[in-house]
Amino acid sequence: VIDGRYKLLGNIGAGGHGSVFRAEDLEKPGTFVAVKCLHDNLTSQPVFLTRMQREARTMGLLAGTSATEIFAFNQSQTGVFYIVMELCDGQDLESYLVAQEATGSLLPVKRVLELLDPIVDTIAAAHSRNIVHRDISPQNILISYEGEIKIVDFGIAKAAMNVSHTMAGMLKGKIAYMSPEQARGDVITEASDLFSAASILYFLVTGTAPFHRHSALATLAAVNSAECEPVQQRNPKISPSLSRLIHKGLSRNVEDRYASAEALLTDLRV
């Protein structure tokens, strides 16, 4: 039990930032939340704590969207920093697609667009409030057993940016969804989130990340060059218009991509 309030019931995930537990809020019996206990190599650095406190407050601006709600950011009596979040009973997008592929087929395009719509809609809401996620990837998108989409870790990637000893863990498995400018270490803008969203769309209609290669270094090089196999070669069933949308979203030059999440959303809904 953390701080006499949150009873940890089991580990439900782990990543570069910390471990996530399903927990019961003992002050509200029968209410369940997710508690993320952050790694010491993050919380031992004052710059991260300052950023995280600020970002946790900022996340309140995304209430009503598909962003996972953050209820609290605290330090326990034993010194562990933790985030209390809305619980999403389900699986991440990568696991969801793997389960679909086990049936011998890819997701129908209609279902793919149903999944993407709330993701891009939430990105649009975030950008309108000057919030950039910086880590849009299948591991950070959850699907509840009722089919509801939730995006996690808004704010955490920014708080952890440039904090030493954290990058390898955070980048593992996510390099393939970075933008070229992110791979180069350039300034991250809204355009980076849109590139990542297009990468996820490619992943959903083909079953493979567009820039996945045999090694992390090779994947990083492919991301930097933004060279990927034409999506219709991977899945001939998708329409030319959807193919154009995906490859526009995956343009190496920011100027060649969608100008905004709203513009991308408009084309997705056509």
mmCIF file with all atom_site columns, all heavy atoms in Angstrom, residues 121-134:
data_model
loop_
_atom_site.group_PDB
_atom_site.id
_atom_site.type_symbol
_atom_site.label_atom_id
_atom_site.label_alt_id
_atom_site.label_comp_id
_atom_site.label_asym_id
_atom_site.label_entity_id
_atom_site.label_seq_id
_atom_site.pdbx_PDB_ins_code
_atom_site.Cartn_x
_atom_site.Cartn_y
_atom_site.Cartn_z
_atom_site.occupancy
_atom_site.B_iso_or_equiv
_atom_site.pdbx_formal_charge
_atom_site.auth_seq_id
_atom_site.auth_comp_id
_atom_site.auth_asym_id
_atom_site.auth_atom_id
_atom_site.pdbx_PDB_model_num
ATOM 1   N N   . ASP A 1 121 ? -7.462  12.860 -33.174 1.00 0.00 ? 121 ASP A N   1
ATOM 2   C CA  . ASP A 1 121 ? -8.314  13.879 -32.561 1.00 0.00 ? 121 ASP A CA  1
ATOM 3   C C   . ASP A 1 121 ? -7.700  14.376 -31.256 1.00 0.00 ? 121 ASP A C   1
ATOM 4   O O   . ASP A 1 121 ? -7.698  15.585 -30.967 1.00 0.00 ? 121 ASP A O   1
ATOM 5   C CB  . ASP A 1 121 ? -9.707  13.298 -32.312 1.00 0.00 ? 121 ASP A CB  1
ATOM 6   C CG  . ASP A 1 121 ? -10.731 14.370 -31.970 1.00 0.00 ? 121 ASP A CG  1
ATOM 7   O OD1 . ASP A 1 121 ? -10.700 15.453 -32.582 1.00 0.00 ? 121 ASP A OD1 1
ATOM 8   O OD2 . ASP A 1 121 ? -11.569 14.125 -31.092 1.00 0.00 ? 121 ASP A OD2 1
ATOM 9   N N   . THR A 1 122 ? -7.160  13.468 -30.467 1.00 0.00 ? 122 THR A N   1
ATOM 10  C CA  . THR A 1 122 ? -6.526  13.852 -29.201 1.00 0.00 ? 122 THR A CA  1
ATOM 11  C C   . THR A 1 122 ? -5.220  14.600 -29.446 1.00 0.00 ? 122 THR A C   1
ATOM 12  O O   . THR A 1 122 ? -4.906  15.568 -28.741 1.00 0.00 ? 122 THR A O   1
ATOM 13  C CB  . THR A 1 122 ? -6.282  12.607 -28.332 1.00 0.00 ? 122 THR A CB  1
ATOM 14  O OG1 . THR A 1 122 ? -7.545  12.018 -28.018 1.00 0.00 ? 122 THR A OG1 1
ATOM 15  C CG2 . THR A 1 122 ? -5.564  12.960 -27.042 1.00 0.00 ? 122 THR A CG2 1
ATOM 16  N N   . ILE A 1 123 ? -4.466  14.175 -30.451 1.00 0.00 ? 123 ILE A N   1
ATOM 17  C CA  . ILE A 1 123 ? -3.250  14.902 -30.811 1.00 0.00 ? 123 ILE A CA  1
ATOM 18  C C   . ILE A 1 123 ? -3.604  16.333 -31.213 1.00 0.00 ? 123 ILE A C   1
ATOM 19  O O   . ILE A 1 123 ? -2.932  17.293 -30.830 1.00 0.00 ? 123 ILE A O   1
ATOM 20  C CB  . ILE A 1 123 ? -2.497  14.186 -31.946 1.00 0.00 ? 123 ILE A CB  1
ATOM 21  C CG1 . ILE A 1 123 ? -1.921  12.862 -31.440 1.00 0.00 ? 123 ILE A CG1 1
ATOM 22  C CG2 . ILE A 1 123 ? -1.372  15.066 -32.508 1.00 0.00 ? 123 ILE A CG2 1
ATOM 23  C CD1 . ILE A 1 123 ? -1.323  11.994 -32.533 1.00 0.00 ? 123 ILE A CD1 1
ATOM 24  N N   . ALA A 1 124 ? -4.695  16.485 -31.976 1.00 0.00 ? 124 ALA A N   1
ATOM 25  C CA  . ALA A 1 124 ? -5.146  17.822 -32.383 1.00 0.00 ? 124 ALA A CA  1
ATOM 26  C C   . ALA A 1 124 ? -5.498  18.670 -31.168 1.00 0.00 ? 124 ALA A C   1
ATOM 27  O O   . ALA A 1 124 ? -5.129  19.860 -31.086 1.00 0.00 ? 124 ALA A O   1
ATOM 28  C CB  . ALA A 1 124 ? -6.351  17.712 -33.317 1.00 0.00 ? 124 ALA A CB  1
ATOM 29  N N   . ALA A 1 125 ? -6.208  18.068 -30.207 1.00 0.00 ? 125 ALA A N   1
ATOM 30  C CA  . ALA A 1 125 ? -6.576  18.797 -28.990 1.00 0.00 ? 125 ALA A CA  1
ATOM 31  C C   . ALA A 1 125 ? -5.334  19.209 -28.210 1.00 0.00 ? 125 ALA A C   1
ATOM 32  O O   . ALA A 1 125 ? -5.250  20.331 -27.694 1.00 0.00 ? 125 ALA A O   1
ATOM 33  C CB  . ALA A 1 125 ? -7.485  17.933 -28.120 1.00 0.00 ? 125 ALA A CB  1
ATOM 34  N N   . ALA A 1 126 ? -4.359  18.307 -28.147 1.00 0.00 ? 126 ALA A N   1
ATOM 35  C CA  . ALA A 1 126 ? -3.117  18.619 -27.431 1.00 0.00 ? 126 ALA A CA  1
ATOM 36  C C   . ALA A 1 126 ? -2.365  19.753 -28.118 1.00 0.00 ? 126 ALA A C   1
ATOM 37  O O   . ALA A 1 126 ? -1.912  20.709 -27.468 1.00 0.00 ? 126 ALA A O   1
ATOM 38  C CB  . ALA A 1 126 ? -2.241  17.369 -27.357 1.00 0.00 ? 126 ALA A CB  1
ATOM 39  N N   . HIS A 1 127 ? -2.239  19.678 -29.423 1.00 0.00 ? 127 HIS A N   1
ATOM 40  C CA  . HIS A 1 127 ? -1.504  20.708 -30.154 1.00 0.00 ? 127 HIS A CA  1
ATOM 41  C C   . HIS A 1 127 ? -2.185  22.069 -30.036 1.00 0.00 ? 127 HIS A C   1
ATOM 42  O O   . HIS A 1 127 ? -1.505  23.105 -29.992 1.00 0.00 ? 127 HIS A O   1
ATOM 43  C CB  . HIS A 1 127 ? -1.361  20.311 -31.623 1.00 0.00 ? 127 HIS A CB  1
ATOM 44  C CG  . HIS A 1 127 ? -0.445  19.144 -31.841 1.00 0.00 ? 127 HIS A CG  1
ATOM 45  N ND1 . HIS A 1 127 ? -0.206  18.595 -33.090 1.00 0.00 ? 127 HIS A ND1 1
ATOM 46  C CD2 . HIS A 1 127 ? 0.301   18.419 -30.967 1.00 0.00 ? 127 HIS A CD2 1
ATOM 47  C CE1 . HIS A 1 127 ? 0.641   17.593 -32.962 1.00 0.00 ? 127 HIS A CE1 1
ATOM 48  N NE2 . HIS A 1 127 ? 0.959   17.463 -31.684 1.00 0.00 ? 127 HIS A NE2 1
ATOM 49  N N   . SER A 1 128 ? -3.518  22.080 -29.971 1.00 0.00 ? 128 SER A N   1
ATOM 50  C CA  . SER A 1 128 ? -4.221  23.355 -29.820 1.00 0.00 ? 128 SER A CA  1
ATOM 51  C C   . SER A 1 128 ? -3.932  23.995 -28.469 1.00 0.00 ? 128 SER A C   1
ATOM 52  O O   . SER A 1 128 ? -4.149  25.192 -28.278 1.00 0.00 ? 128 SER A O   1
ATOM 53  C CB  . SER A 1 128 ? -5.732  23.148 -29.986 1.00 0.00 ? 128 SER A CB  1
ATOM 54  O OG  . SER A 1 128 ? -6.288  22.479 -28.870 1.00 0.00 ? 128 SER A OG  1
ATOM 55  N N   . ARG A 1 129 ? -3.409  23.192 -27.531 1.00 0.00 ? 129 ARG A N   1
ATOM 56  C CA  . ARG A 1 129 ? -3.047  23.689 -26.203 1.00 0.00 ? 129 ARG A CA  1
ATOM 57  C C   . ARG A 1 129 ? -1.531  23.748 -26.040 1.00 0.00 ? 129 ARG A C   1
ATOM 58  O O   . ARG A 1 129 ? -1.015  23.803 -24.926 1.00 0.00 ? 129 ARG A O   1
ATOM 59  C CB  . ARG A 1 129 ? -3.665  22.782 -25.136 1.00 0.00 ? 129 ARG A CB  1
ATOM 60  C CG  . ARG A 1 129 ? -5.198  22.814 -25.127 1.00 0.00 ? 129 ARG A CG  1
ATOM 61  C CD  . ARG A 1 129 ? -5.766  21.605 -24.392 1.00 0.00 ? 129 ARG A CD  1
ATOM 62  N NE  . ARG A 1 129 ? -7.215  21.653 -24.247 1.00 0.00 ? 129 ARG A NE  1
ATOM 63  C CZ  . ARG A 1 129 ? -8.084  21.336 -25.191 1.00 0.00 ? 129 ARG A CZ  1
ATOM 64  N NH1 . ARG A 1 129 ? -7.646  20.967 -26.413 1.00 0.00 ? 129 ARG A NH1 1
ATOM 65  N NH2 . ARG A 1 129 ? -9.379  21.388 -24.974 1.00 0.00 ? 129 ARG A NH2 1
ATOM 66  N N   . ASN A 1 130 ? -0.826  23.689 -27.178 1.00 0.00 ? 130 ASN A N   1
ATOM 67  C CA  . ASN A 1 130 ? 0.644   23.759 -27.204 1.00 0.00 ? 130 ASN A CA  1
ATOM 68  C C   . ASN A 1 130 ? 1.301   22.593 -26.450 1.00 0.00 ? 130 ASN A C   1
ATOM 69  O O   . ASN A 1 130 ? 2.357   22.758 -25.827 1.00 0.00 ? 130 ASN A O   1
ATOM 70  C CB  . ASN A 1 130 ? 1.141   25.093 -26.628 1.00 0.00 ? 130 ASN A CB  1
ATOM 71  C CG  . ASN A 1 130 ? 0.681   26.274 -27.448 1.00 0.00 ? 130 ASN A CG  1
ATOM 72  O OD1 . ASN A 1 130 ? 0.776   26.259 -28.679 1.00 0.00 ? 130 ASN A OD1 1
ATOM 73  N ND2 . ASN A 1 130 ? 0.176   27.300 -26.789 1.00 0.00 ? 130 ASN A ND2 1
ATOM 74  N N   . ILE A 1 131 ? 0.678   21.415 -26.525 1.00 0.00 ? 131 ILE A N   1
ATOM 75  C CA  . ILE A 1 131 ? 1.225   20.210 -25.906 1.00 0.00 ? 131 ILE A CA  1
ATOM 76  C C   . ILE A 1 131 ? 1.654   19.252 -27.011 1.00 0.00 ? 131 ILE A C   1
ATOM 77  O O   . ILE A 1 131 ? 0.843   18.886 -27.865 1.00 0.00 ? 131 ILE A O   1
ATOM 78  C CB  . ILE A 1 131 ? 0.185   19.523 -25.000 1.00 0.00 ? 131 ILE A CB  1
ATOM 79  C CG1 . ILE A 1 131 ? -0.253  20.461 -23.869 1.00 0.00 ? 131 ILE A CG1 1
ATOM 80  C CG2 . ILE A 1 131 ? 0.748   18.233 -24.425 1.00 0.00 ? 131 ILE A CG2 1
ATOM 81  C CD1 . ILE A 1 131 ? -1.455  19.938 -23.092 1.00 0.00 ? 131 ILE A CD1 1
ATOM 82  N N   . VAL A 1 132 ? 2.904   18.856 -26.999 1.00 0.00 ? 132 VAL A N   1
ATOM 83  C CA  . VAL A 1 132 ? 3.430   17.881 -27.954 1.00 0.00 ? 132 VAL A CA  1
ATOM 84  C C   . VAL A 1 132 ? 3.747   16.607 -27.178 1.00 0.00 ? 132 VAL A C   1
ATOM 85  O O   . VAL A 1 132 ? 4.419   16.651 -26.144 1.00 0.00 ? 132 VAL A O   1
ATOM 86  C CB  . VAL A 1 132 ? 4.696   18.413 -28.659 1.00 0.00 ? 132 VAL A CB  1
ATOM 87  C CG1 . VAL A 1 132 ? 5.253   17.364 -29.628 1.00 0.00 ? 132 VAL A CG1 1
ATOM 88  C CG2 . VAL A 1 132 ? 4.386   19.712 -29.388 1.00 0.00 ? 132 VAL A CG2 1
ATOM 89  N N   . HIS A 1 133 ? 3.267   15.461 -27.654 1.00 0.00 ? 133 HIS A N   1
ATOM 90  C CA  . HIS A 1 133 ? 3.470   14.210 -26.928 1.00 0.00 ? 133 HIS A CA  1
ATOM 91  C C   . HIS A 1 133 ? 4.920   13.766 -26.965 1.00 0.00 ? 133 HIS A C   1
ATOM 92  O O   . HIS A 1 133 ? 5.494   13.396 -25.962 1.00 0.00 ? 133 HIS A O   1
ATOM 93  C CB  . HIS A 1 133 ? 2.572   13.113 -27.504 1.00 0.00 ? 133 HIS A CB  1
ATOM 94  C CG  . HIS A 1 133 ? 2.547   11.865 -26.675 1.00 0.00 ? 133 HIS A CG  1
ATOM 95  N ND1 . HIS A 1 133 ? 3.624   10.988 -26.605 1.00 0.00 ? 133 HIS A ND1 1
ATOM 96  C CD2 . HIS A 1 133 ? 1.591   11.329 -25.875 1.00 0.00 ? 133 HIS A CD2 1
ATOM 97  C CE1 . HIS A 1 133 ? 3.325   9.990  -25.798 1.00 0.00 ? 133 HIS A CE1 1
ATOM 98  N NE2 . HIS A 1 133 ? 2.090   10.167 -25.344 1.00 0.00 ? 133 HIS A NE2 1
ATOM 99  N N   . ARG A 1 134 ? 5.527   13.712 -28.146 1.00 0.00 ? 134 ARG A N   1
ATOM 100 C CA  . ARG A 1 134 ? 6.935   13.342 -28.377 1.00 0.00 ? 134 ARG A CA  1
ATOM 101 C C   . ARG A 1 134 ? 7.194   11.841 -28.377 1.00 0.00 ? 134 ARG A C   1
ATOM 102 O O   . ARG A 1 134 ? 8.306   11.414 -28.656 1.00 0.00 ? 134 ARG A O   1
ATOM 103 C CB  . ARG A 1 134 ? 7.870   13.991 -27.343 1.00 0.00 ? 134 ARG A CB  1
ATOM 104 C CG  . ARG A 1 134 ? 7.798   15.497 -27.301 1.00 0.00 ? 134 ARG A CG  1
ATOM 105 C CD  . ARG A 1 134 ? 8.509   16.057 -26.089 1.00 0.00 ? 134 ARG A CD  1
ATOM 106 N NE  . ARG A 1 134 ? 8.351   17.497 -26.016 1.00 0.00 ? 134 ARG A NE  1
ATOM 107 C CZ  . ARG A 1 134 ? 9.207   18.380 -26.529 1.00 0.00 ? 134 ARG A CZ  1
ATOM 108 N NH1 . ARG A 1 134 ? 10.302  17.944 -27.128 1.00 0.00 ? 134 ARG A NH1 1
ATOM 109 N NH2 . ARG A 1 134 ? 8.990   19.670 -26.431 1.00 0.00 ? 134 ARG A NH2 1
#
